[in-house]
Amino acid sequence: MTTSPAPAVGRLASVSLDCPDPSVLADFYGALLGLPRAYESPDGGVVSLSDGGIAVTMMRAADHVRPTWPEPGQQQQLHLDILVTDLDDAVERSIALGANEAAHQPAPSAWRVLLDPVGHPFCLTTVTGD
């Protein structure tokens, strides 16, 4: 027996990433995802990218610690899965933007793990769930 979900309190507006320099990381994700800057705080401590859907927001964290995942220490905390049509091409283009391919690749035929310029893992995938 399935039950209907309760009415939503709200909807997801943004996914936020801590980083040492929001402008630099916003340039990377703006190019990677084709998203324009939708908001930038006067002090540059917060930069949001959006095309009207869910935003990706970079927030300055002076004490940001680069994730060491999958090694112990500083876990990944969060990662993005980005849908692509061609994994090899998407990896190549992401690296050209400043990403690095992670050494640990648990399922490389379906997901490729990369690291953004400040070490956040993200996955490129062709898996849609359809």
Side-chain angles (χ1 to χ4, degrees):
M1 175 181 192
T2 59
T3 60
S4 298
V9 172
R11 64 181 181 85
L12 181 62
S14 180
V15 174
S16 300
L17 300 169
D18 288 350
C19 62
D21 188 337
S23 184
V24 170
L25 199 57
D27 288 345
F28 171 78
Y29 278 108
L32 183 74
L33 301 171
L35 293 175
R37 288 183 185 218
Y39 172 80
E40 187 164 356
S41 66
D43 69 354
V46 177
V47 179
S48 288
L49 307 171
S50 181
D51 61 1
I54 296 172
V56 177
T57 301
M58 279 48 67
M59 301 178 73
R60 181 176 294 124
D63 58 352
H64 177 263
V65 177
R66 185 180 188 94
T68 57
W69 176 91
E71 302 304 319
Q74 185 65 37
Q75 294 298 310
Q76 66 178 335
Q77 301 138 7
L78 167 101
H79 77 268
L80 304 174
D81 288 332
I82 300 166
L83 184 63
V84 301
T85 55
D86 182 314
L87 282 174
D88 292 329
D89 178 63
V91 168
E92 184 178 313
R93 292 174 59 201
S94 298
I95 290 170
L97 293 171
N100 292 299
E101 197 163 1
H104 183 64
Q105 296 291 329
S109 64
W111 286 274
R112 298 282 175 81
V113 183
L114 287 91
L115 306 173
D116 74 18
V118 297
H120 299 111
F122 67 94
C123 292
L124 302 174
T125 185
T126 56
V127 175
T128 64
D130 291 337

